[in-house]
Amino acid sequence: MSKLTAKIKRDLPLRISLMIVLAMSLLLTVTLLIMLRYSRKSIKEDALSRATTALDRANNNIDNILLSVEETVGNIYFNMKYDKPERMYTYTYKIVETNPYITGCAIAFKPGYFKGHDEFMAYAHRIDSTHQNYANAPIVHSDTFGIRSYTRQIWYTRTMTMNKAIWLNPLAGMNSDIEPLIAVSAPIPDAEGKPIGVICTFLSTSLLSEVIASAKPSPNSYCALLDRHGSFIVDPTGGYLSKTKAMNLPGASVKQAVKSMMSGEKGYLPFEINDHDFYLFYKPFVLADVPYRSLDDLGWSIGVAFSEDDIFGEYNALFNFVLIIAIIGMGVIYLHTRLIIRHRLKPLEQLTHLTERIAQGHYNEPLPSRHRNKDEIGMLQGHFQRMQHSVSANINELHELTDTIQERSKELHIAYKKAKKADHMKTVFLHNMTDQMVAPTFAISKDVKTMSHYDESASPQTINQLVDNIQQNGNTITQILNNLINLSEKEMEQEKGGEL
């Protein structure tokens, strides 16, 4: 790591390339995050719109079926006469025959209503209620429905107790050997409005399952219809109803979604089942507001579960594709910028090497060719070339001056030696001249001393001889001094001539 850091610090093109790629990566990342965030939000809104459309379509289709059943029953219900039990078979047959969605119809009266009958029920139904073409299924009559007496079945007991038309959920006390049925049950009133019997029309859950299944907005989505207690009216597989309640499905997220549906709310929630992620979009099942429709709110909820792959599959694929392109693009940009920057900074690298060579004393190092572009690098290279020429010229002048100084130093050294020799000779000369002056001086001193001891009786010849000796020795001293003075004057003249 330290080697890599050191290399980055030393390599300017690498450092600039990394800075450019880092800046572009940061900008691209921020841009992609913003774009993908809004894209994901838009996709989720689109999924919500599709789910809402699917829920509304399924709600309308199911409600249209329920409404058609109610209208079929109502058209015959208000024209029914209860005087003869034989008529009841005709009414039930007519109801089943008129509406292809109806799989069966039962008319039952309270015990003893018809003379000779402790219990009476007329039941008409299609033989194969699971057949896809309900209209062509044959219709037969029966005196029983289920495995126990109708007086103990909820469609009869609840209607007689409530004395109002109601929709009954499947498996609500209907113990039968056929598939679960949804029933709309209405009381048959007497003149005083008290119930004397019940007319109940049955609708197959397989039919509703087909309606629900056809409303799926995507292949991996599921639709379901729940009652107010969380029981399936139509299960998510679109098949026959099982006794499993939605709340018994595994997973806390599933239970939370079911609770939201049961509460009558509208919205969507994520949940997980069998290690697969889904989004559940749900809304209350709403009956259409139709005149003379007096049925209460059923408390049903309808929901569609979208697989997360169905919602975000293309988004995730696009995200991965964009991520791969971004990584490859960053690599290409890095290589491209590194090559360009290295090419553009090559003159700087050459100048760096040249500077190092100059620092080592190679002032006449050959310069690289001039950069063609007139940018900062080209200007720097030109200035450096001029600086090198100037430094080289100054160094050459300095070398010449050094050589001249050395030559002058040698000459001065020689002159110094000559001057020292001349001074020595002058000292010897003066010493000799001084020695030459000593003898005459002593002679004069001796003659003067001798003369001072003569009296008047001394002969004039002797005195004259002494005076001549003194004079002769004085002339000798004077001659020596004149020679010294002349020699000094010549040296002074030579020094003046040398200065000029």
Side-chain angles (χ1 to χ4, degrees):
M1 187 66 182
S2 59
K3 293 182 178 180
L4 179 61
T5 304
K7 178 176 175 57
I8 293 175
K9 290 181 178 180
R10 290 194 308 268
D11 197 335
L12 180 60
L14 175 61
R15 193 160 63 252
I16 295 176
S17 301
L18 290 176
M19 291 173 64
I20 292 174
V21 171
L22 180 61
M24 294 190 66
S25 300
L26 181 61
L27 178 61
L28 181 61
T29 301
V30 173
T31 303
L32 287 178
L33 287 177
I34 294 175
M35 181 185 70
L36 293 175
R37 179 178 180 275
Y38 283 98
S39 297
R40 188 178 181 88
K41 181 180 179 181
S42 177
I43 290 173
K44 187 177 289 187
E45 290 177 352
D46 178 68
L48 177 60
S49 176
R50 286 190 293 155
T52 301
T53 302
L55 292 176
D56 290 340
R57 182 170 61 250
N59 188 110
N60 292 336
N61 291 339
I62 293 174
D63 188 50
N64 288 337
I65 293 174
L66 299 183
L67 184 60
S68 69
V69 172
E70 294 171 13
E71 290 178 344
T72 299
V73 175
N75 291 335
I76 295 177
Y77 178 79
F78 291 106
N79 296 316
M80 289 176 60
K81 294 182 179 180
Y82 314 117
D83 53 347
K84 297 180 180 180
E86 294 79 9
R87 294 179 183 271
M88 305 302 113
Y89 294 102
T90 304
Y91 295 149
T92 56
Y93 186 92
K94 188 67 174 177
I95 289 175
V96 175
E97 181 187 37
T98 302
N99 194 321
Y101 297 124
I102 297 175
T103 60
C105 179
I107 299 178
F109 289 85
K110 65 182 181 179
Y113 178 78
F114 290 113
K115 292 181 179 181
H117 298 277
D118 292 336
E119 295 181 357
F120 176 81
M121 183 186 76
Y123 177 50
H125 63 93
R126 302 181 190 275
I127 294 179
D128 186 5
S129 60
T130 64
H131 198 278
Q132 293 184 355
N133 189 355
Y134 290 94
N136 297 328
I139 302 173
V140 296
H141 284 98
S142 175
D143 294 331
T144 60
F145 172 74
I147 59 177
R148 56 183 179 175
S149 173
Y150 70 86
T151 58
R152 298 168 54 193
Q153 296 184 26
I154 197 169
W155 60 270
Y156 177 83
T157 58
R158 180 174 295 180
T159 306
M160 291 291 288
T161 302
M162 297 179 63
N163 194 20
K164 59 182 296 188
I166 55 174
W167 275 98
L168 300 173
N169 296 341
L171 298 180
M174 302 179 192
N175 294 327
S176 66
D177 56 354
I178 59 175
E179 65 164 313
L181 301 173
I182 298 172
V184 56
S185 181
I188 301 174
D190 58 9
E192 297 178 356
K194 295 180 179 181
I196 57 174
V198 174
I199 179 172
C200 185
T201 307
F202 302 99
L203 179 66
S204 172
T205 55
S206 62
L207 176 62
L208 295 185
S209 297
E210 291 179 4
V211 175
I212 290 290
S214 65
K216 295 198 308 181
S218 66
N220 296 323
S221 61
Y222 299 93
C223 290
L225 188 64
L226 298 181
D227 66 8
R228 66 176 72 249
H229 304 296
S231 298
F232 284 118
I233 298 174
V234 176
D235 67 5
T237 62
Y240 295 130
L241 182 66
S242 65
K243 293 185 178 182
T244 303
K245 289 189 176 184
M247 287 298 294
N248 294 333
L249 293 175
S253 58
V254 177
K255 291 180 171 58
Q256 180 61 37
V258 172
K259 286 181 180 179
S260 298
M261 290 184 66
M262 291 170 56
S263 64
E265 299 176 0
K266 177 181 179 181
Y268 66 91
L269 283 174
F271 73 97
E272 179 182 348
I273 186 169
N274 296 330
D275 296 328
H276 290 84
D277 295 324
F278 290 88
Y279 278 87
L280 175 64
F281 299 85
Y282 53 90
K283 61 174 289 187
F285 183 84
V286 180
L287 295 172
D289 187 10
V290 178
Y292 305 109
R293 191 179 196 180
S294 59
L295 292 174
D296 296 333
D297 181 21
L298 302 181
W300 294 354
S301 296
I302 188 169
V304 56
F306 268 102
S307 169
E308 189 174 27
D309 291 336
D310 287 347
I311 299 177
F312 299 111
E314 295 182 357
Y315 168 85
N316 294 332
L318 177 62
F319 177 81
N320 295 331
F321 184 68
V322 170
L323 184 62
I324 294 173
I325 291 179
I327 294 174
I328 296 175
M330 289 298 101
V332 172
I333 290 174
Y334 166 74
L335 295 176
H336 188 62
T337 53
R338 179 168 172 78
L339 291 175
I340 292 177
I341 293 173
R342 180 171 290 278
H343 174 71
R344 298 291 294 172
L345 295 182
K346 188 175 182 180
L348 287 180
E349 184 179 356
Q350 294 174 346
L351 290 178
T352 302
H353 177 70
L354 182 59
T355 304
E356 183 178 358
R357 294 285 295 170
I358 291 175
Q360 295 173 356
H362 304 281
Y363 302 105
N364 294 321
E365 186 79 12
L367 291 170
S369 58
R370 179 73 180 273
H371 201 269
R372 291 175 297 183
N373 295 333
K374 296 181 180 180
D375 53 10
E376 290 79 0
I377 296 179
M379 294 174 63
L380 176 62
Q381 194 172 15
H383 294 331
F384 191 87
Q385 288 177 347
R386 288 193 291 272
M387 182 188 71
Q388 189 193 26
H389 289 310
S390 177
V391 170
S392 179
N394 291 333
I395 295 298
N396 291 334
E397 291 179 1
L398 183 60
H399 286 166
E400 293 176 359
L401 181 60
T402 302
D403 293 339
T404 302
I405 291 174
Q406 289 178 351
E407 292 177 1
R408 292 288 180 88
S409 178
K410 290 179 181 179
E411 293 176 357
L412 289 174
H413 186 67
I414 295 172
Y416 172 73
K417 287 183 177 181
K418 290 181 179 180
K420 189 174 182 181
K421 183 177 181 181
D423 184 65
H424 179 68
M425 292 176 64
K426 184 185 293 185
T427 303
V428 173
F429 173 75
L430 290 174
H431 187 268
N432 291 333
M433 296 297 290
T434 303
D435 289 343
Q436 293 177 13
M437 291 174 65
V438 170
T441 302
F442 283 138
I444 292 172
S445 176
K446 182 178 180 183
D447 290 339
V448 172
K449 186 176 181 180
T450 300
M451 287 179 65
S452 65
H453 290 83
Y454 282 106
D455 54 14
E456 293 178 358
S457 61
S459 63
Q461 291 82 3
T462 303
I463 294 172
N464 289 334
Q465 183 63 39
L466 291 172
V467 171
D468 289 337
N469 291 336
I470 291 171
Q471 185 175 5
Q472 185 177 358
N473 288 326
N475 290 333
T476 300
I477 293 173
T478 301
Q479 184 63 38
I480 292 172
L481 292 174
N482 286 332
N483 291 335
L484 288 174
I485 291 171
N486 291 333
L487 181 60
S488 178
E489 288 179 352
K490 287 181 180 181
E491 289 181 353
M492 292 177 63
E493 289 178 358
Q494 288 179 357
E495 289 179 358
K496 290 181 179 180
E499 292 178 357
L500 294 174

